[in-house]
Amino acid sequence: MRVFTGVESVPAGFGPSAVTIGKFDGLHTGHRVVIDDLLDLAGRDLEPVVVTFDRNPLELLRPDRCPAPLVGLEQKLELLASVGVAATLVLRFDDALASLEPEAFVDRILLGPLGMRRLLVGDDFRFGHRGRGDVALLERMGEERGFDVRVQRQVAVESRRVSSTWIRELLGAGAIEEAAQLLGRPPAVRGEVVHGAHRGRELGFPTANLAQQSDGMIPADGVYAGRLVDRSVVPVAVHPAAISVGSNPTFEGVPPRQVEAHVLDATLDLYGHLVDVEFTHRIRGQVAYEGIEPLIAQIAVDVAQVRSLEGRQQDVRQ
């Protein structure tokens, strides 16, 4: 997939194209339907192109209402590449873009650089300065400027529209399996492995600690089964892991929230590695223990449960 960082990086003569626009946070199953429809709309004659943003527009427009992103930009681009998109145009959402009138947005971003011939949008799509642009305006401009507008169908599960907001609610409640169904894959957090307090090693369960600045929404505090995907080796290495999320209430003086992954049955030097921590099942919530021994005993139980779940998943995969 070709990635254009701004309209100035789109080569002259690019296109003609079929385009869809959106945040595509998480690239969930609803988004996958949009991409499938975009590919159908493009056919063999047009380049299927996604136009997205380097951040949630609310980060600039209403920072008090801006939600935590489900994935970072690099994760989003990888996901878009995996579903057959030919090119993605990443727009920097700044004051200049926010103040662009709808007609100028279409002319300067979609028609000129991308050679857009077909456009796929949702029925509630708004764009341009103060959200003045809508589907009706696009349809009028399409008649004038020679492009077709297709309105995207909504994707619902149990009468509720599949959305990033719904997935955030599930992750916030620790409902990992339900969130995974809507995402179409396990939720994950990506970050660099850094040195922590080394308490896991002292307890007999060494952990890979993710840096505080990581990409992806961290689920509710608790203990999870999942996988650690080491992206700093070729090919990437996938390890089953028991994962702790929270503030380690048994101890004092720890960061507010941590993501720590104990790789099962392996001793690895992961410091400085870029990893994905994937969550597949929630084992339990976070508990404060009075003393080290009860904590060690509970960790052993947690690890045994994670190992049992991993064994079942291997049987299913076989």
Side-chain angles (χ1 to χ4, degrees):
M1 183 182 75
R2 304 171 73 179
V3 178
F4 305 128
T5 54
V7 293
E8 64 279 356
S9 68
V10 180
F14 179 83
S17 67
V19 176
T20 191
I21 308 171
K23 297 187 290 292
F24 292 100
D25 186 22
L27 202 69
H28 52 63
T29 53
H31 293 145
R32 302 294 178 95
V33 172
V34 175
I35 299 301
D36 287 345
D37 287 353
L38 174 68
L39 298 177
D40 288 342
L41 195 63
R44 297 183 178 182
D45 302 325
L46 304 177
E47 296 276 4
V49 178
V50 168
V51 175
T52 190
F53 310 101
D54 67 337
R55 71 200 74 186
N56 189 322
L58 288 177
E59 187 176 319
L60 175 69
L61 302 175
R62 291 292 304 272
D64 58 314
R65 294 179 54 189
C66 185
L70 294 176
V71 296
L73 179 59
E74 288 303 315
Q75 292 169 295
K76 177 164 65 173
L77 293 175
E78 290 170 10
L79 291 166
L80 286 168
S82 73
V83 294
V85 175
T88 294
L89 170 59
V90 181
L91 300 175
R92 176 175 173 78
F93 198 91
D94 53 16
D95 288 327
L97 184 63
S99 62
L100 201 62
E101 292 296 333
E103 295 85 354
F105 182 92
V106 173
D107 290 334
R108 299 180 192 176
I109 294 175
L110 304 181
L111 291 176
L114 298 179
M116 182 184 70
R117 295 293 178 267
R118 296 170 188 161
L119 177 62
L120 178 67
V121 295
D123 55 6
D124 58 350
F125 180 67
R126 310 287 300 194
F127 70 105
H129 185 51
R130 298 186 180 277
R132 190 173 67 81
D134 57 12
V135 172
L137 175 62
L138 287 171
E139 290 174 338
R140 291 196 299 273
M141 293 187 69
E143 292 176 358
E144 297 168 357
R145 289 162 168 79
F147 64 88
D148 297 326
V149 178
R150 180 79 58 84
V151 177
Q152 173 63 41
R153 56 196 169 101
Q154 299 285 355
V155 179
V157 174
E158 296 179 355
S159 300
R160 180 172 181 178
R161 184 172 68 89
V162 176
S163 67
S164 301
T165 299
W166 187 5
I167 295 168
R168 290 188 194 95
E169 291 174 6
L170 292 170
L171 291 175
I176 292 297
E177 295 177 64
E178 292 87 342
Q181 288 179 346
L182 298 184
L183 282 168
R185 65 183 186 282
V189 177
R190 175 176 296 180
E192 181 183 350
V193 177
V194 298
H195 287 277
H198 300 287
R199 290 196 177 93
R201 188 176 304 277
E202 294 169 1
L203 298 173
F205 300 92
T207 59
N209 303 310
L210 263 61
Q212 292 291 304
Q213 297 300 319
S214 299
D215 289 331
M217 181 176 171
I218 299 172
D221 291 357
V223 176
Y224 297 85
R227 294 180 289 268
L228 182 145
V229 182
D230 186 355
R231 305 184 63 82
S232 294
V233 296
V234 180
V236 297
V238 182
H239 307 282
I243 306 160
S244 171
V245 174
S247 57
N248 291 328
T250 303
F251 302 98
E252 296 180 357
V254 296
R257 295 186 82 215
Q258 293 177 298
V259 176
E260 306 174 69
H262 169 68
V263 174
L264 301 187
D265 306 319
T267 302
L268 305 170
D269 183 2
L270 295 170
Y271 293 118
H273 287 212
L274 182 68
V275 303
D276 288 343
V277 174
E278 298 180 348
F279 303 85
T280 57
H281 301 84
R282 191 169 197 240
I283 304 299
R284 62 175 174 86
Q286 190 177 66
V287 178
Y289 293 92
E290 296 183 2
I292 300 301
E293 294 305 320
L295 175 60
I296 293 175
Q298 182 59 59
I299 294 174
V301 171
D302 296 337
V303 169
Q305 189 169 351
V306 171
R307 184 175 286 108
S308 175
L309 286 168
E310 173 61 20
R312 292 179 211 165
Q313 290 180 39
Q314 284 185 342
D315 290 341
V316 170
R317 288 194 289 266
Q318 291 172 356

